[in-house]
Amino acid sequence: MNLPRPFRFQRGLLGLMAGIALVGSSLLGTESMTRTQAQTSYYCRFAEAAIAEKDALRQAAMQGDRDAQQRYKAMVGEHAAMLRRCRSQTWPQTQAVWVRLYPCDVRPGALDDLLDRLVNLGYNQVYVEAFYNGQVLLPMAENQTPWPSVIRHPDYRNVDLLAEAIAKGRERGLQVYAWMFSMNFGYSYAQLPDRAQVLAQNGHGQTSLSAFEAASLDFNTGGLHGEEAFIDPYNQQAKYDYYQMVQAILRRQPDGMLFDYIRYPKGIGGASVASRVQDLWIYGDAAQQALIERGTNPAGQTLIRRFLSRGYITVGDLDEVRGRYGDEEPLWQGRSPLVEDEERTAEEIRDQLQQELWRLSVAHAIQGVLDFLAVAVLPAQQQRIPAGAVFFPEANAQVREGYDSRLQPWDRFPASLEWHPMAYGVCGDASCIVSKVQRVIEQAPAGTQVKPVIAGVWGQPITNRPSLEVQMDAIRRAAPQINAVSHFAYSWQDPQFERQRQFCQL
């Protein structure tokens, strides 16, 4: 039968590849044929011959070769089908990767090149940063948000890179999620003259621009980052600005949305633990007022003010409140009147009230995070688009008499969301990584989709982390119910390619 050329090519490709293959000998060492074959389909990576042929066709297509354009399009579709079949039959069924786009990705063929590389590695989901470092992946011509667009070159003011990534990703069998920073609005936002009051503040008069720790796209998944500006989650302007931006991103119809930085900043050294009320990021005008209003009578509100201003209350404060309000018991949300006990001293009563005020302040800080997350995910939920929260498994921990300064209450995130714990343990093997995943699984409500995030590269250890294969195998053995894993980040897989994209000139 004389088949049209594109179809002849596809049939030949299937014979050449015999399915999808990982180059196992270079990554895993020589093993028996049976064992190697079992592991080659495990990661759904494409054979080098198919990768080279697709790359050559793409380059020829970019040069205007119409025959190559047709063959390239056919091969992209064939690889999408093969990827779907492979992932449906192998663990994990969802293998995702985190990606940042740059202005130079608007160049002809650049986005195709990037997405092809992801498919070649067996990924079937990609998390594209749509809002990060105080800039948003919206075209300049349509950007009505307070943040500048990622692409600010006037010749490309109409280019919608996020929409293109979603469309081109789907052609390749990729689900494309929009990954967004949340309570970290970025330095550019903090410089707006009418937004200064929106930033979170602690009791030392600092904003997060003073000192913080970031999980950024670098080889340490941490370190100082001068563009971080965390907002007061109780501030209505912050909620409005973010809600409007989420709606703009959703108009591109991503396959899902992921919300990162659902937390406060992490301090440095001793400041990484919040052990006093001044350490909490609740001193913005909106957060302070909301905390005071948690007092349910004037006596309670007065003591809350005193505790916020000094970090403690005194017996004299109690006497003053009693003199001003008579026998009125100081009350606030969640507090019941004290049982009268004539044997208790004034100091004991003061100590109990002070502990209750500390717990109230911590709960208030935590509730601000939860309320902001609810606002962030609402537009996605209304459109029935999957939404997920990204978090550190250790960020909700109690530390001695205090708490991790991030106060990230992921154990109280809705079970209707996807949970993406960042299991970035560094201990030379996979044990600390698995323990983080297990901690999340133990605390997750039944039915919660837990999708661990791991950091590393294929085939070799890096920064005292084992290879991705070793980490994934360990997670599968310890938690076989997990069926989705993501890799932070693609920039780690091909740093030279990342630098070329990041620093090229349009």
Side-chain angles (χ1 to χ4, degrees), residues 20 79-87 119 122-124 172-173:
I20 299 175
H79 279 200
M82 296 173 73
L83 180 63
R84 281 192 292 269
R85 286 195 298 271
C86 181
R87 290 257 70 102
V119 170
Y123 294 112
N124 62 339
R172 290 162 171 78

Side-chain angles (χ1 to χ4, degrees), residues 99 105 151 195 323:
V99 171
D105 289 323
I151 303 170
R195 296 297 196 278

Side-chain angles (χ1 to χ4, degrees), residues 130-144:
F131 171 59
Y132 64 94
N133 290 357
Q135 51 188 348
V136 62
L137 196 60
L138 294 172
M140 283 180 61
E142 299 180 32
N143 184 7
Q144 301 298 315

Side-chain angles (χ1 to χ4, degrees), residues 2 11 20 29 85 92 156 158 224 247 392 422 452 498-499:
N2 188 19
R11 187 173 65 180
I20 299 175
R85 286 195 298 271
Y156 300 94
N158 292 302
L224 297 180
Q247 288 187 314
F392 289 103
M422 294 178 282
E498 180 82 6
R499 286 191 293 269

Side-chain angles (χ1 to χ4, degrees), residues 381-401:
Q381 292 175 329
Q382 290 174 333
Q383 297 187 33
R384 300 183 182 277
I385 291 178
V390 188
F391 58 89
F392 289 103
E394 66 278 12
N396 69 340
Q398 185 169 355
V399 184
R400 299 182 297 278
E401 300 301 319

